[in-house]
Amino acid sequence: MDPMSSCLGFTSAGVPRMLRGGPLVNRQCSNRLIPRHGIVMGARKEKKEDANSGFYKNTVNLPSTNFSQRANAVKTEPEIQKFWADSKTYEKLSSENPREVYSLHDGPPYANGDIHMGHALNKVLKDFINRYQLLQGKKATLIPGWDCHGLPIELKVLQSLKSKERKDLTPSALRKKAKEFALKTIESQKASFQRLGVWASWDTPYLTLNPEYEAAQIEVFGKMFLEGYIYRGKKPVHWSPSSRTALAEAELEYPDEHISRSIYAAFSIVDADKSKNELVKKHSDALSVAVWTTTPWTLPANRAVAVNPAIVYALVELEGRVLIVAKDLVEAVGHKLEKDLVVIGEVTGNDLAGLHYEHPIQDGLKCKILIGGDYITTESGTGLVHTAPGHGQVGRCDWPGLRSIFV
């Protein structure tokens, strides 16, 4: 590096340090000419005095455009959407594109209020898919829809009424008010979705309250019935006393502060003397099945105890009673009860199936021991499962045996 370069203060990359603070000025290398505060500050000071201070700015080539540096979406988005609507961009692409038809049917939201973030995410993601298919040259359409029936809409209507109005409301009057509310809400949600810029066939949505839609549902149901897919059976249906209507499983919620303490319980077997197993017969006067449940508030609805035929069960003595517990869980149960359980024999799940026990709460009610499935394990509890079908679907249990407890 020559003396002049050293004096001017070049970096290791060969870039003049003075450029960082202002233009490079030709001057002699002299300590007298360099300010005490450094060459950069000196350059900044000279910038005000140099007539060529704008020289480097004029050498930068920037594009000249009227495009705003700010999005100003509140103003521009409606303008863009109006342009799409006036040009019928969606309609033309979905009908004139050269490739095959692609139809995306909307899983309908409830017409029970304004849209929320979940609605927005759902529709925008579908819009992504549809626009991609349009860009691929397909005749892509998004068919929007609304679910106009059900508890969410009825609750909204009931909340808008006074106590006396709710009391005097007939089912037909409630349905009429629910329809009016749903149609009004549909228009509100539709406007919100359109404001999000979602492309869809907004003028021809499907509504579950349309007679044509309901007729199509009945037709499909009739075909299913004729094909043998529809049958009459028994299953628990959750009921809301306050809303006076059935509840779906997804509509059940427990309060955050709810605490359900687990308990161990013993149910006395009443017909052990009829068992084919000699050990069960021998202890028929004191024999009980031991169960463990995390929902003790379901015990009044107990209708069966389920056992696993693949599990070996032990008969253990406890304070004058003989309890039936899974062999692999004897030690764990004894630890929980803080008692020493003495094993006096072993039986299988099949040896217990068909026996009856006395209901723990309802006097005179005899319930059955059933064969369950592989959901009954020895990981926790007692290896015997308290069954209360009125509190939920018991699809994993032996249905022929379970049906008998409803008779």
Side-chain angles (χ1 to χ4, degrees):
M1 183 176 289
D2 57 39
M4 180 59 74
S5 298
S6 176
C7 179
L8 289 175
F10 279 73
T11 66
S12 59
V15 181
R17 290 194 184 95
M18 291 181 67
L19 288 180
R20 294 181 295 175
L24 180 63
V25 180
N26 291 328
R27 56 183 174 169
Q28 296 294 325
C29 179
S30 170
N31 290 335
R32 181 178 59 81
L33 295 177
I34 299 176
R36 288 180 302 170
H37 298 295
I39 194 166
V40 175
M41 292 187 66
R44 287 175 181 165
K45 184 177 180 181
E46 291 179 8
K47 181 178 180 181
K48 297 180 181 179
E49 303 170 359
D50 193 340
N52 297 323
S53 61
F55 176 77
Y56 288 103
K57 178 180 71 175
N58 297 330
T59 65
V60 180
N61 293 324
L62 294 174
S64 179
T65 177
N66 293 326
F67 194 84
S68 175
Q69 293 186 9
R70 295 181 180 276
N72 196 15
V74 174
K75 179 176 180 295
T76 57
E77 281 185 3
E79 291 175 350
I80 294 171
Q81 291 168 9
K82 185 177 184 302
F83 171 79
W84 287 341
D86 293 344
S87 304
K88 294 189 178 297
T89 308
Y90 167 74
E91 291 79 3
K92 289 178 180 178
L93 292 174
S94 60
S95 61
E96 299 176 7
N97 267 358
R99 294 183 61 189
E100 69 275 13
V101 172
Y102 178 89
S103 182
L104 178 60
H105 277 74
D106 189 19
Y110 269 122
N112 67 324
D114 295 331
I115 68 170
H116 50 66
M117 190 59 69
H119 290 118
L121 177 63
N122 180 288
K123 285 294 187 293
V124 169
L125 290 177
K126 290 172 182 175
D127 194 47
F128 286 175
I129 296 171
N130 216 46
R131 289 181 188 242
Y132 172 78
Q133 298 297 339
L134 288 171
L135 289 171
Q136 297 301 305
K138 296 180 183 179
K139 297 180 179 67
T141 55
L142 172 58
I143 311 299
W146 276 271
D147 188 341
C148 309
H149 298 101
L151 181 62
I153 297 172
E154 294 173 5
L155 285 178
K156 284 287 186 178
V157 172
L158 293 172
Q159 289 168 5
S160 67
L161 301 176
K162 294 181 179 178
S163 173
K164 187 177 185 308
E165 291 177 309
R166 289 198 297 268
K167 186 177 180 181
D168 299 335
L169 195 64
T170 63
S172 59
L174 175 59
R175 285 194 291 268
K176 182 179 178 181
K177 288 183 177 293
K179 178 180 179 180
E180 294 170 354
F181 178 86
L183 291 174
K184 181 180 178 181
T185 303
I186 287 168
E187 294 305 315
S188 172
Q189 289 192 4
K190 184 193 300 183
S192 298
F193 291 140
Q194 289 175 305
R195 180 61 184 86
L196 290 173
V198 177
W199 283 357
S201 303
W202 296 115
D203 295 332
T204 56
Y206 70 92
L207 312 178
T208 61
L209 57 72
N210 284 343
E212 299 84 0
Y213 186 93
E214 293 175 333
Q217 284 185 311
I218 294 174
E219 182 180 1
V220 172
F221 182 84
K223 290 180 179 178
M224 294 173 66
F225 177 79
L226 294 174
E227 293 292 331
Y229 295 113
I230 307 299
Y231 64 92
R232 183 181 296 275
K234 293 183 178 180
K235 64 172 288 185
V237 177
H238 298 285
W239 181 261
S240 170
S242 59
S243 302
R244 294 183 297 173
T245 185
L247 295 174
E249 195 79 31
E251 293 172 316
L252 299 180
E253 294 184 7
Y254 292 99
D256 293 335
E257 64 275 10
H258 174 78
I259 298 176
S260 181
R261 301 186 183 279
S262 64
I263 66 168
Y264 286 88
F267 308 151
S268 299
I269 297 178
V270 296
D271 56 358
D273 56 325
K274 298 178 182 178
S275 173
K276 296 180 180 180
N277 185 283
E278 293 301 323
L279 185 62
V280 172
K281 276 186 178 181
K282 179 180 178 181
H283 299 281
S284 60
D285 293 338
L287 197 60
S288 300
V289 286
V291 299
W292 174 72
T293 177
T294 59
T295 56
W297 41 270
T298 64
L299 284 175
N302 174 272
R303 289 298 179 272
V305 167
V307 295
N308 188 335
I311 292 178
V312 176
Y313 293 91
L315 275 64
V316 298
E317 288 184 337
L318 175 64
E319 298 177 350
R321 303 181 70 175
V322 177
L323 302 181
I324 299 175
V325 180
K327 177 183 176 182
D328 294 343
L329 290 169
V330 170
E331 183 178 349
V333 172
H335 178 74
K336 289 284 186 181
L337 299 179
E338 298 181 350
K339 301 287 184 180
D340 292 327
L341 302 182
V342 180
V343 177
I344 58 176
E346 297 177 0
V347 295
T348 66
N350 288 324
D351 293 327
L352 302 174
L355 295 178
H356 293 79
Y357 60 90
E358 188 174 1
H359 193 277
I361 296 174
Q362 299 183 43
D363 292 336
L365 179 61
K366 306 297 187 291
C367 301
K368 206 171 188 178
I369 299 177
L370 306 175
I371 294 294
D374 56 7
Y375 66 93
I376 305 171
T377 68
T378 56
E379 294 179 1
S380 60
T382 65
L384 299 94
V385 175
H386 146 64
T387 303
H391 284 277
Q393 189 71 39
V394 196
R396 297 176 298 183
C397 206
D398 172 61
W399 277 108
L402 186 60
R403 289 195 190 101
S404 66
I405 69 176
F406 290 101
V407 177

